[in-house]
Amino acid sequence: MIRMVELYGQYLTVKDEVDAAVEEVMKSSAFIRGPQVRLLEEELAEYVGVDHCITCGNGTDALLLTFAAMGIGRGDEVIVPSFTFGAVAESVALTGATPVFADVNPLTFNIDAQSVERLMSPRTRAIVPAHMFGQPCDMPRLRSIAQAGGVAIVEDNTQSFGAECRMGESAKAKTGSIGLAGCTSFFPTKVLGCYGDGGAVFTDNAELASKIRQLANHGQKPKYHYRSLGMNSRLDTLQAAVLRVKLRHLDEWIAARVRAAKRYDEALAGVAGIVLPMVSEGVTHVYHQYTLKMIPELRDGLREFLGSQGIETMVYYPALLNEQYAYREISRSDICMDGARQLPGSVVSLPICSHLEMRSQTKVVAAIKEFMSKGAGSRGM
Ligand SMILES: Cc1ncc(COP(=O)(O)O)c(C=O)c1O
């Protein structure tokens, strides 16, 4: 079976380091708030290029804690993409604020700046660029829209940890360091993933960082003195220990993902009926996903054919958030979704990870070519 992500293969390459790190935690038995958590926060902050990193239980909590710490709530609006994972809008709605759905650029899968501009209102408090599939959003443009409207940017960097984006003439910034805050998840399949749930918020704003820390710890400051309601959201020491090891290898693993993506690009170039992922000017793509767009009538057939050859594929995402039942009465999306609407029926993501074997990739490519030559041929393409 060729899986979307080969996590065991990756583990084997760092087994000695991971096992030693886990054993150290077992020996100390400091399972909650052990020293590895603070060390990881320092190392992550340095990697992303911000002053503060606050780890927490998962990526959804990272978003929710950030919005809550910003005082976002009932009566406020937050602009989010219509084509992304549900947690982006859910975390907004859980504060009582209204998720406002923006269109996406069908070439990059990222939030469309022009539609964001149109959706800005006196109630807008924040824009959430979710950097999809490993590629940064158009941050220079979104930043100027946010500045003009006096609203904050909260980046959802869950899918693009380690990516970079040119922000000025020469300055390059890591995604997650550009807005007021950047949120991420360490779900196991992410570019930087742990062996369970985990998340973090990144910011240069000391006051926001302190509020997030307090909210993530039941609103306590100091211990047993509750300044506000909060929640219990923390990263386990064991997960922090694993992430410290994985962070040391992250850049080489991202480079391996990029090489795998280039191999797909070269091998699939010119295959009729599919559109390869596009990389925008001035950004680096870390290929959390390698997502094709294809003729909708052939998409499910291709998936079935690949499945029959033992090749896993996924559809991220089969429906737009603005069209879903949960958001019908609690969101706003009064613009047309011309870009986003093209995607749920036509996208398909192929296996990609830092440890994808070359012969697996050759098999994936050969199977796609075989299916598409028959499928596209039968349609006279
Ligand atoms: C874009 C995006 N945001 C947020 C999340 C939520 O992360 P978690 O599952 O850690 O809560 C995910 C999860 O896949 C995601 O893809």
Side-chain angles (χ1 to χ4, degrees):
M1 181 81 188
I2 303 174
R3 296 184 190 286
M4 292 295 291
V5 180
E6 189 37 79
L7 288 178
Y8 188 60
Q10 187 194 63
Y11 163 68
L12 290 178
T13 66
V14 288
K15 184 177 183 314
D16 291 348
E17 288 172 82
V18 168
D19 291 358
V22 167
E23 195 179 350
E24 193 187 325
V25 178
M26 300 307 283
K27 276 189 191 147
S28 74
S29 296
F31 297 118
I32 303 290
R33 296 190 194 288
Q36 288 84 351
V37 177
R38 188 43 74 102
L39 289 168
L40 174 72
E41 289 179 343
E42 287 168 13
E43 289 158 5
L44 285 171
E46 192 185 339
Y47 182 86
V48 171
V50 294
D51 290 343
H52 308 276
C53 166
I54 310 100
T55 52
C56 60
N58 53 64
T60 310
D61 283 0
L63 290 162
L64 179 57
L65 287 163
T66 302
F67 297 137
M70 290 166 68
I72 287 176
R74 205 161 295 284
D76 294 329
E77 291 184 347
V78 176
I79 302 177
V80 299
S82 53
F83 179 76
T84 186
F85 185 66
V88 183
E90 181 185 44
S91 52
V92 172
L94 286 173
T95 67
T98 303
V100 175
F101 291 110
D103 198 7
V104 307
N105 178 333
L107 297 174
T108 62
F109 310 113
N110 276 330
I111 194 163
D112 176 63
Q114 211 178 334
S115 85
V116 170
E117 205 160 19
R118 262 189 269 136
L119 288 166
M120 294 282 285
S121 85
R123 286 159 39 137
T124 308
R125 290 284 314 279
I127 301 166
V128 185
H131 306 297
M132 296 305 294
F133 301 155
Q135 169 156 234
C137 297
D138 183 353
M139 294 310 291
R141 180 104 190 270
L142 290 167
R143 188 162 72 176
S144 62
I145 294 169
Q147 278 169 352
V151 308
I153 284 188
V154 175
E155 295 168 79
D156 184 335
N157 197 26
T158 293
Q159 301 195 8
S160 298
F161 196 85
E164 286 183 333
C165 176
R166 201 181 313 124
M167 287 306 291
E169 277 301 296
S170 56
K172 267 197 166 179
K174 282 243 159 59
T175 49
S177 71
I178 301 162
L180 171 66
C183 300
T184 203
S185 161
F186 300 122
F187 187 84
T189 57
K190 301 300 181 223
V191 174
L192 179 62
C194 58
Y195 296 150
D197 275 313
V201 184
F202 297 82
T203 183
D204 280 326
N205 186 309
E207 199 185 328
L208 184 72
S210 157
K211 273 193 197 153
I212 291 170
R213 236 178 240 297
Q214 190 180 313
L215 287 174
N217 188 22
H218 302 289
Q220 300 178 88
K221 200 176 181 185
K223 207 170 182 184
Y224 304 128
H225 294 266
Y226 304 96
R227 293 187 174 216
S228 66
L229 294 182
M231 56 203 264
N232 173 17
S233 185
R234 47 194 179 214
L235 184 74
D236 294 348
T237 313
L238 278 168
Q239 301 302 346
V242 168
L243 284 166
R244 289 189 70 211
V245 172
K246 291 182 116 193
L247 184 59
R248 295 202 284 269
H249 297 273
L250 184 65
D251 284 341
E252 89 199 54
W253 288 347
I254 288 175
R257 281 176 178 273
V258 173
R259 282 197 300 275
K262 295 295 155 224
R263 283 197 293 270
Y264 275 141
D265 283 349
E266 279 162 26
L268 294 172
V271 175
I274 61 177
V275 179
L276 303 179
M278 183 199 121
V279 185
S280 308
E281 277 281 303
V283 306
T284 59
H285 197 316
V286 294
Y287 292 99
H288 170 52
Q289 301 296 344
Y290 187 91
T291 301
L292 303 176
K293 264 191 317 174
M294 56 182 299
I295 304 173
E297 304 83 66
L298 294 182
R299 198 265 312 268
D300 293 343
L302 173 69
R303 292 196 67 210
E304 215 168 287
F305 182 70
L306 294 180
S308 73
Q309 311 255 316
I311 300 166
E312 191 180 20
T313 58
M314 293 295 280
V315 171
Y316 301 116
Y317 297 92
L320 300 184
L321 294 179
N322 55 295
E323 291 173 352
Q324 311 234 7
Y325 187 77
Y327 293 102
R328 243 177 241 176
E329 289 174 9
I330 57 165
S331 66
R332 175 161 84 81
S333 62
D334 43 352
I335 52 155
C336 55
M337 297 283 177
D338 288 346
R341 223 181 288 127
Q342 300 172 27
L343 300 177
S346 66
V347 286
V348 56
S349 298
L350 305 181
I352 193 159
C353 59
S354 55
H355 291 76
L356 178 62
E357 288 185 9
M358 204 120 50
R359 62 175 174 194
S360 301
Q361 225 179 337
T362 307
K363 189 173 166 189
V364 176
V365 167
I368 293 175
K369 283 185 168 167
E370 184 185 340
F371 178 85
M372 292 307 288
S373 65
K374 286 185 209 145
S378 68
R379 279 167 173 73
M381 301 183 72

